[in-house]
Amino acid sequence: MSWLLVVAVLAGFAVDPSAATDHIVGANHGWNPNINYSLWSGNQTFYVGGLISFRYQKGTHNVFEVNETGYDNCTMDGVAGNWTSGKDFIPLPEARRYYFICGNGFCMQGMKVAITVHPLRHNASSNGSGAQGEASAAALRTRSAAWLAATAVAVAAFGAFC
């Protein structure tokens, strides 16, 4: 049984659980007016395969992904996505700059955030598109599953010794 614990610990070191980080915009302040989201995003490191999530009062606020012009001018230029649930989880599938705003008129009150998503550390040369992007996503799913399995085995093995 002790070999299971060793395998689980080694498997845990072989995977990167940080790649699937969920970044909650504004942390405990959520998605609300008059918050410095530039400061918040500057303290985050985003990687391909991670998530950005927005928590807000449904019906009052929303989230739009726009282009840089839309972000700078608080307009709907280049809309690429629209979320309205109040608890939105948005995948970050490729390395690039993302721009999000509130489309209900609160953008001018600071409800906008721009983030830069970096390639996964082991695949820095990939641009995250096409077959390489799909391979990166598949690798991320495999690593996440391996991490969960390794953790479960470690807990089971530890429980057997106690």
Side-chain angles (χ1 to χ4, degrees), residues 16-29:
D16 182 9
S18 66
T21 300
D22 178 17
H23 300 271
I24 301 170
V25 175
N28 60 337
H29 298 290

PDB file of all heavy atoms in Angstrom, residues 16-29:
ATOM      1  N   ASP A  16       0.289  20.122 -13.283  1.00  0.00           N
ATOM      2  CA  ASP A  16       0.262  21.538 -12.923  1.00  0.00           C
ATOM      3  C   ASP A  16      -1.164  21.967 -12.612  1.00  0.00           C
ATOM      4  O   ASP A  16      -1.891  22.382 -13.499  1.00  0.00           O
ATOM      5  CB  ASP A  16       0.825  22.365 -14.075  1.00  0.00           C
ATOM      6  CG  ASP A  16       0.879  23.845 -13.745  1.00  0.00           C
ATOM      7  OD1 ASP A  16       0.645  24.207 -12.579  1.00  0.00           O
ATOM      8  OD2 ASP A  16       1.144  24.629 -14.664  1.00  0.00           O
ATOM      9  N   PRO A  17      -1.611  21.861 -11.352  1.00  0.00           N
ATOM     10  CA  PRO A  17      -2.979  22.227 -11.015  1.00  0.00           C
ATOM     11  C   PRO A  17      -3.260  23.716 -11.176  1.00  0.00           C
ATOM     12  O   PRO A  17      -4.391  24.128 -11.305  1.00  0.00           O
ATOM     13  CB  PRO A  17      -3.118  21.792  -9.552  1.00  0.00           C
ATOM     14  CG  PRO A  17      -1.725  21.853  -9.020  1.00  0.00           C
ATOM     15  CD  PRO A  17      -0.835  21.458 -10.181  1.00  0.00           C
ATOM     16  N   SER A  18      -2.231  24.553 -11.198  1.00  0.00           N
ATOM     17  CA  SER A  18      -2.451  25.995 -11.310  1.00  0.00           C
ATOM     18  C   SER A  18      -2.973  26.389 -12.683  1.00  0.00           C
ATOM     19  O   SER A  18      -3.489  27.479 -12.865  1.00  0.00           O
ATOM     20  CB  SER A  18      -1.158  26.754 -11.010  1.00  0.00           C
ATOM     21  OG  SER A  18      -0.197  26.483 -12.011  1.00  0.00           O
ATOM     22  N   ALA A  19      -2.820  25.527 -13.685  1.00  0.00           N
ATOM     23  CA  ALA A  19      -3.240  25.854 -15.041  1.00  0.00           C
ATOM     24  C   ALA A  19      -4.754  26.019 -15.132  1.00  0.00           C
ATOM     25  O   ALA A  19      -5.238  26.671 -16.040  1.00  0.00           O
ATOM     26  CB  ALA A  19      -2.764  24.785 -16.012  1.00  0.00           C
ATOM     27  N   ALA A  20      -5.504  25.436 -14.229  1.00  0.00           N
ATOM     28  CA  ALA A  20      -6.960  25.521 -14.288  1.00  0.00           C
ATOM     29  C   ALA A  20      -7.507  26.469 -13.213  1.00  0.00           C
ATOM     30  O   ALA A  20      -8.584  26.271 -12.700  1.00  0.00           O
ATOM     31  CB  ALA A  20      -7.568  24.136 -14.143  1.00  0.00           C
ATOM     32  N   THR A  21      -6.789  27.498 -12.903  1.00  0.00           N
ATOM     33  CA  THR A  21      -7.195  28.444 -11.869  1.00  0.00           C
ATOM     34  C   THR A  21      -8.440  29.219 -12.291  1.00  0.00           C
ATOM     35  O   THR A  21      -8.560  29.643 -13.428  1.00  0.00           O
ATOM     36  CB  THR A  21      -6.048  29.435 -11.593  1.00  0.00           C
ATOM     37  OG1 THR A  21      -4.911  28.697 -11.157  1.00  0.00           O
ATOM     38  CG2 THR A  21      -6.430  30.452 -10.540  1.00  0.00           C
ATOM     39  N   ASP A  22      -9.356  29.392 -11.342  1.00  0.00           N
ATOM     40  CA  ASP A  22     -10.542  30.232 -11.554  1.00  0.00           C
ATOM     41  C   ASP A  22     -10.267  31.576 -10.895  1.00  0.00           C
ATOM     42  O   ASP A  22     -10.133  31.662  -9.680  1.00  0.00           O
ATOM     43  CB  ASP A  22     -11.771  29.568 -10.939  1.00  0.00           C
ATOM     44  CG  ASP A  22     -13.027  30.422 -11.079  1.00  0.00           C
ATOM     45  OD1 ASP A  22     -13.040  31.357 -11.913  1.00  0.00           O
ATOM     46  OD2 ASP A  22     -13.995  30.159 -10.347  1.00  0.00           O
ATOM     47  N   HIS A  23     -10.165  32.617 -11.712  1.00  0.00           N
ATOM     48  CA  HIS A  23      -9.923  33.970 -11.215  1.00  0.00           C
ATOM     49  C   HIS A  23     -11.267  34.674 -11.055  1.00  0.00           C
ATOM     50  O   HIS A  23     -11.925  34.977 -12.045  1.00  0.00           O
ATOM     51  CB  HIS A  23      -9.047  34.748 -12.195  1.00  0.00           C
ATOM     52  CG  HIS A  23      -7.715  34.116 -12.418  1.00  0.00           C
ATOM     53  ND1 HIS A  23      -6.621  34.388 -11.638  1.00  0.00           N
ATOM     54  CD2 HIS A  23      -7.299  33.205 -13.336  1.00  0.00           C
ATOM     55  CE1 HIS A  23      -5.595  33.688 -12.063  1.00  0.00           C
ATOM     56  NE2 HIS A  23      -5.968  32.969 -13.094  1.00  0.00           N
ATOM     57  N   ILE A  24     -11.662  34.934  -9.818  1.00  0.00           N
ATOM     58  CA  ILE A  24     -12.939  35.601  -9.550  1.00  0.00           C
ATOM     59  C   ILE A  24     -12.701  37.107  -9.605  1.00  0.00           C
ATOM     60  O   ILE A  24     -11.980  37.662  -8.775  1.00  0.00           O
ATOM     61  CB  ILE A  24     -13.517  35.178  -8.194  1.00  0.00           C
ATOM     62  CG1 ILE A  24     -13.717  33.662  -8.164  1.00  0.00           C
ATOM     63  CG2 ILE A  24     -14.819  35.922  -7.917  1.00  0.00           C
ATOM     64  CD1 ILE A  24     -14.057  33.117  -6.791  1.00  0.00           C
ATOM     65  N   VAL A  25     -13.301  37.749 -10.597  1.00  0.00           N
ATOM     66  CA  VAL A  25     -13.073  39.181 -10.824  1.00  0.00           C
ATOM     67  C   VAL A  25     -13.483  39.983  -9.590  1.00  0.00           C
ATOM     68  O   VAL A  25     -14.595  39.839  -9.086  1.00  0.00           O
ATOM     69  CB  VAL A  25     -13.847  39.667 -12.070  1.00  0.00           C
ATOM     70  CG1 VAL A  25     -13.717  41.172 -12.238  1.00  0.00           C
ATOM     71  CG2 VAL A  25     -13.350  38.947 -13.314  1.00  0.00           C
ATOM     72  N   GLY A  26     -12.545  40.799  -9.124  1.00  0.00           N
ATOM     73  CA  GLY A  26     -12.818  41.641  -7.962  1.00  0.00           C
ATOM     74  C   GLY A  26     -12.739  40.919  -6.635  1.00  0.00           C
ATOM     75  O   GLY A  26     -13.005  41.522  -5.597  1.00  0.00           O
ATOM     76  N   ALA A  27     -12.399  39.632  -6.670  1.00  0.00           N
ATOM     77  CA  ALA A  27     -12.320  38.811  -5.457  1.00  0.00           C
ATOM     78  C   ALA A  27     -13.593  38.963  -4.633  1.00  0.00           C
ATOM     79  O   ALA A  27     -14.678  38.766  -5.158  1.00  0.00           O
ATOM     80  CB  ALA A  27     -11.067  39.145  -4.667  1.00  0.00           C
ATOM     81  N   ASN A  28     -13.478  39.363  -3.360  1.00  0.00           N
ATOM     82  CA  ASN A  28     -14.676  39.450  -2.508  1.00  0.00           C
ATOM     83  C   ASN A  28     -15.547  40.662  -2.817  1.00  0.00           C
ATOM     84  O   ASN A  28     -16.642  40.784  -2.294  1.00  0.00           O
ATOM     85  CB  ASN A  28     -14.275  39.444  -1.026  1.00  0.00           C
ATOM     86  CG  ASN A  28     -13.374  40.601  -0.657  1.00  0.00           C
ATOM     87  OD1 ASN A  28     -12.689  41.172  -1.512  1.00  0.00           O
ATOM     88  ND2 ASN A  28     -13.358  40.947   0.621  1.00  0.00           N
ATOM     89  N   HIS A  29     -15.086  41.570  -3.693  1.00  0.00           N
ATOM     90  CA  HIS A  29     -15.912  42.724  -4.079  1.00  0.00           C
ATOM     91  C   HIS A  29     -16.826  42.407  -5.251  1.00  0.00           C
ATOM     92  O   HIS A  29     -17.793  43.124  -5.498  1.00  0.00           O
ATOM     93  CB  HIS A  29     -15.028  43.923  -4.447  1.00  0.00           C
ATOM     94  CG  HIS A  29     -14.187  44.401  -3.311  1.00  0.00           C
ATOM     95  ND1 HIS A  29     -14.710  45.043  -2.209  1.00  0.00           N
ATOM     96  CD2 HIS A  29     -12.857  44.315  -3.086  1.00  0.00           C
ATOM     97  CE1 HIS A  29     -13.746  45.330  -1.373  1.00  0.00           C
ATOM     98  NE2 HIS A  29     -12.605  44.898  -1.874  1.00  0.00           N
TER      99      HIS A  29
END
